Amino acid sequence: MQQNHAEDIIVRVEQGVLRGEQKVTVTGDTVYYSFKGIPYAAPPTGRWRFLSPRPPLSWTGTRNATEHGNVCPQIDAFQNMLFVGSEDCLFLNVYSPCIHTESPLAVMVYIHGGGYAFGSGNDDYYGPDFLMNSKNVVVVTMNYRLDTLGFLCLDIKEVPGNAGMKDQVAALKWVQANIIKFGGDPKKVTIIGESAGAASCTLHAVSPLSRGLFHRVIAMSAVPLSEFNTEFEQIRRAYILGDNLGFKTTNPKALLRYLQTVPVRQLLNTNTSVIAAENYIDFIVKAYYFVPVVEKEFGQKQFLKEPILVSVKKGLHKAETLVGYTSKEGLFGISFIENGQTFKNYKRNPEVLVPRNIFYKSTPRMHMQLADLIKEFYTGSRLTPLDTVQQLVNYFTDVFTYPIFRYARRLSNFNRNDNIYMYQFASVSNRNVLSQEGVRYGLHGVAHTDDLQYLFHANALNLPIDKNSSKLIQQFIALLTNFAIFG
């Protein structure tokens, strides 16, 4: 049970004075300092909806930093729940084991996953307790705009795409300006993320907007080549969105003005499929379609100027990078597989087995030839569909892991600094929640997201910590914090 100490902790940042609190880690080992709900950018509301973030506003008096800020509007795919939150949601949280220190500590800035469509940096899933027990890093978590609000692309200067990524850049700038006040070293910042958060981290490694804002990258279970990160006809999607809402136009600025007036609920988890197959590509592979894009140049500051592999070949990816994956990523999808629709889709429309980056660029005849090869690989016959849980879990595991291997090879081939490292997470204990779903099918390993339970204390799950899991937590924390500190 966490307990709060009575004394308030006061810190002055560029925008004003914050009142945080002392807390004790869930294991009772360590006292640390917690500052929640710190605004790192101005509210992106009203006429600022969809636009790039603006600098944070100052405040007078002392701002209470003991409660999280609003979560960004979203529909959580795992809980199938709407979280209205607020569009005024650009907040971050800072946790520090020592505010006043002669030698500033390394900083780990965590970017949450969720397909760019749901999630937050709050401690319901990202409690800092285990990292605070290490006593050697300052931890920052953040919210950023999600779904249409964060990733709409209209191909105009005002909305070229990537607003959610630019939110993350704004948070990293705030860290550079203020983290010294929390005992952190702005010259030793590691960005770390999982799933869409991991892909985000590796995109920052080549973005001109992110240069100089961090020094190392830890990418857990995703990279920019990951299936869910594939962009396709993003402008067309925006017009389909307007059309679905009853607003037909060919004028992007008119569409922007209209979408800025739409109730936020109508902008979440929308169906903006531009080809029929997108209605059948399963959630686990497809995730969402509002994702980071290569921006066209309109005189704005571009987050991405070119495809990621072009930047990698140019050697622009200079940050030391630790890439990881879990031993059986696909186990996390069992609950989606069991609903029955997945089996039907993959039997009836085998072309959706083809990776999206190939699917979008090839012919229907090529789709079927590749689908036959994929079926043969997982079933032994080109005529046999993937129709068992085991086959689909193996397929989805490869969907996650192969792009990671491919990306790591590209990095090591074109990066002369020899600073790319990789790990596989295969630890099993009572903290592997989703992994346990596979046991009744004879499948063993670690599911996508289950490694997070060894990095963060998820207050919402309240998982036990026994002798075995405690040891595994300490090992994983040591691996990641040592990389953040020493490379």
Side-chain angles (χ1 to χ4, degrees):
M1 182 79 181
Q2 287 189 349
Q3 49 183 301
N4 298 340
H5 287 245
E7 58 264 35
D8 292 334
I9 308 299
I10 302 297
V11 165
R12 179 180 290 277
V13 296
E14 284 190 344
Q15 290 74 41
V17 177
L18 293 167
R19 181 176 66 248
E21 60 185 336
Q22 264 191 358
K23 302 190 82 168
V24 177
T25 57
V26 67
T27 51
D29 299 319
T30 306
V31 172
Y32 68 97
Y33 303 95
S34 168
F35 297 83
K36 297 174 181 173
I38 307 170
Y40 66 81
T45 54
R47 67 189 184 96
W48 301 105
R49 179 190 274 182
F50 305 121
L51 274 58
S52 294
R54 295 166 296 136
L57 306 174
S58 298
W59 60 83
T60 55
T62 300
R63 182 183 178 95
N64 181 29
T66 61
E67 301 288 337
H68 287 299
N70 303 315
V71 300
C72 296
Q74 60 189 271
I75 292 178
D76 186 318
F78 289 109
Q79 302 179 64
N80 197 26
M81 282 179 60
L82 166 67
F83 291 90
V84 177
S86 169
E87 290 184 67
D88 178 8
C89 63
L90 301 186
F91 298 97
L92 54 74
N93 314 293
V94 181
Y95 308 103
S96 176
C98 185
I99 287 179
H100 305 293
T101 174
E102 291 182 13
S103 300
L105 300 172
V107 181
M108 296 178 75
V109 180
Y110 182 78
I111 302 174
H112 72 78
Y116 305 108
F118 61 94
S120 79
N122 293 1
D123 64 8
D124 48 355
Y125 291 101
Y126 303 113
D129 303 66
F130 305 150
L131 286 158
M132 290 299 98
N133 279 339
S134 73
K135 301 179 184 176
N136 55 14
V137 292
V138 174
V139 174
V140 179
T141 64
M142 70 173 81
N143 300 345
Y144 55 93
R145 279 174 287 176
L146 302 165
D147 207 327
T148 321
L149 295 166
F151 294 92
L152 181 75
C153 175
L154 292 175
D155 261 7
I156 54 177
K157 184 176 182 179
E158 295 86 347
V159 187
N162 298 327
M165 301 305 300
K166 292 170 186 175
D167 292 345
Q168 296 174 16
V169 171
L172 292 172
K173 286 181 177 177
W174 187 96
V175 167
Q176 284 297 307
N178 295 288
I179 205 65
I180 191 73
K181 304 291 181 58
F182 301 88
D185 187 348
K187 297 185 180 67
K188 194 175 279 189
V189 174
T190 295
I191 52 174
I192 173 173
E194 190 271 343
S195 201
S200 296
C201 289
T202 44
L203 290 174
H204 286 296
V206 299
S207 171
L209 298 190
S210 311
R211 204 151 291 147
L213 299 180
F214 62 93
H215 311 88
R216 296 186 175 113
V217 172
I218 301 174
M220 304 168 63
S221 294
V223 294
L225 308 185
S226 294
E227 186 85 352
F228 65 83
N229 226 58
T230 309
E231 64 164 290
F232 179 68
E233 295 289 336
Q234 300 306 93
I235 315 308
R236 196 183 300 270
R237 289 190 200 286
Y239 284 104
I240 289 172
L241 174 63
D243 198 36
N244 289 347
L245 295 172
F247 186 79
K248 298 182 189 299
T249 182
T250 56
N251 183 324
K253 294 198 174 184
L255 180 58
L256 170 60
R257 288 192 296 270
Y258 171 74
L259 292 176
Q260 286 177 329
T261 68
V262 170
V264 70
R265 170 64 187 88
Q266 295 180 29
L267 299 172
L268 301 175
N269 201 22
T270 56
N271 181 357
T272 56
S273 298
V274 298
I275 55 175
E278 290 181 349
N279 292 314
Y280 301 98
I281 298 174
D282 189 82
F283 161 81
I284 305 168
V285 182
K286 155 187 126 169
Y288 297 90
Y289 290 108
F290 287 100
V291 297
V293 298
V294 175
E295 291 179 41
K296 292 181 181 172
E297 204 277 315
F298 303 104
Q300 84 284 19
K301 293 181 178 178
Q302 295 163 271
F303 177 75
L304 281 182
K305 292 185 174 185
E306 60 194 8
I308 181 81
L309 287 182
V310 175
S311 296
V312 168
K313 285 181 181 179
K314 289 180 178 178
L316 296 181
H317 189 302
K318 298 189 184 306
E320 287 187 309
T321 302
L322 177 61
V323 180
Y325 62 97
T326 66
S327 58
K328 206 76 170 174
E329 296 271 0
L331 286 172
F332 105 110
I334 283 181
S335 61
F336 295 98
I337 294 170
E338 288 176 332
N339 71 18
Q341 193 57 47
T342 299
F343 282 139
K344 293 175 187 173
N345 286 350
Y346 282 77
K347 279 185 178 180
R348 183 175 176 83
N349 308 100
E351 73 273 18
V352 300
L353 292 165
V354 177
R356 278 167 54 196
N357 61 337
I358 298 174
F359 185 92
Y360 289 136
K361 297 174 183 175
S362 57
T363 64
R365 188 178 300 280
M366 179 65 74
H367 297 166
M368 299 315 296
Q369 290 172 352
L370 292 174
D372 285 346
L373 289 171
I374 292 169
K375 286 187 292 182
E376 184 175 31
F377 183 82
Y378 291 100
T379 71
S381 168
R382 296 185 179 203
L383 301 177
T384 305
L386 275 67
D387 62 359
T388 70
V389 169
Q390 289 89 339
Q391 290 166 354
L392 283 167
V393 166
N394 289 336
Y395 166 75
F396 288 132
T397 294
D398 290 342
V399 166
F400 275 106
T401 55
Y402 180 74
I404 295 172
F405 300 147
R406 182 169 163 241
Y407 182 71
R409 282 199 299 270
R410 296 295 191 280
L411 268 190
S412 54
N413 287 344
F414 295 106
N415 194 326
R416 305 292 177 258
N417 298 331
D418 197 25
N419 58 6
I420 169 81
Y421 306 90
M422 180 178 273
Y423 70 87
Q424 182 201 63
F425 190 98
S427 300
V428 175
S429 78
N430 53 12
R431 299 187 68 80
N432 296 54
V433 180
L434 292 174
S435 308
Q436 293 165 13
E437 297 280 313
V439 173
R440 64 183 183 275
Y441 295 102
L443 293 167
H444 301 280
V446 181
H448 188 69
T449 75
D450 265 0
D451 49 344
L452 289 174
Q453 309 315 325
Y454 299 83
L455 178 59
F456 293 107
H457 173 65
N459 289 292
L461 301 179
N462 197 28
L463 298 175
I465 305 171
D466 60 16
K467 187 175 180 180
N468 179 40
S469 58
S470 177
K471 180 183 176 185
L472 295 172
I473 288 167
Q474 289 172 16
Q475 288 178 333
F476 195 44
I477 293 292
L479 171 74
L480 299 186
T481 57
N482 281 341
F483 181 79
I485 297 164
F486 304 111

